[in-house]
Amino acid sequence: MQENIINLIDENGVESAFEIILTLEAEGKEYAILVPVEEEEAEEALIFRIDQDEEGEILVPLEDDEEYQIVVDVYNTLMEEEGLNFDEDEQ
């Protein structure tokens, strides 16, 4: 399970561990869905595009709202197909 754990450094220089819970493809690009390791009940996930550079794979934050929504839609479709969709009205 450790291979799915990565450390990210925020803009304040604080390092936090995240688990890659899913990778998916949308419109020919690959994305990683990450959740914080320390938060048991994490309500939000982070989405990064997986790009290649000279050293290998890098995670690039999404800055485009349209790209973000495309990935969220693909994620929701995958969850529905797996029977894992979450209906917020059933809380």
Side-chain angles (χ1 to χ4, degrees):
M1 185 90 170
Q2 278 300 74
E3 70 235 19
N4 290 334
I5 305 296
I6 61 170
N7 292 315
L8 299 179
I9 300 171
D10 69 14
E11 63 273 357
N12 299 319
V14 177
E15 188 172 323
S16 301
F18 287 83
E19 180 180 1
I20 301 172
I21 60 167
L22 179 69
T23 59
L24 58 88
E25 187 175 314
E27 296 195 346
K29 298 177 184 172
E30 191 172 0
Y31 297 90
I33 313 292
L34 286 66
V35 294
V37 171
E38 296 296 318
E39 295 179 35
E40 294 283 329
E41 299 288 326
E43 293 184 19
E44 270 190 47
L46 301 178
I47 302 172
F48 289 88
R49 185 176 58 249
I50 302 171
D51 284 345
Q52 297 287 328
D53 71 1
E54 309 82 41
E55 299 177 19
E57 294 181 339
I58 59 170
L59 296 177
V60 179
L62 301 186
E63 296 179 359
D64 179 16
D65 290 339
E66 185 177 326
E67 182 179 22
Y68 175 83
Q69 191 58 53
I70 289 168
V71 176
V72 169
D73 291 344
V74 170
Y75 173 82
N76 288 335
T77 299
L78 287 172
M79 292 301 103
E80 287 176 14
E81 288 174 359
E82 295 295 321
L84 300 173
N85 56 334
F86 176 73
D87 188 357
E88 292 182 11
D89 296 333
E90 294 180 357
Q91 289 184 0

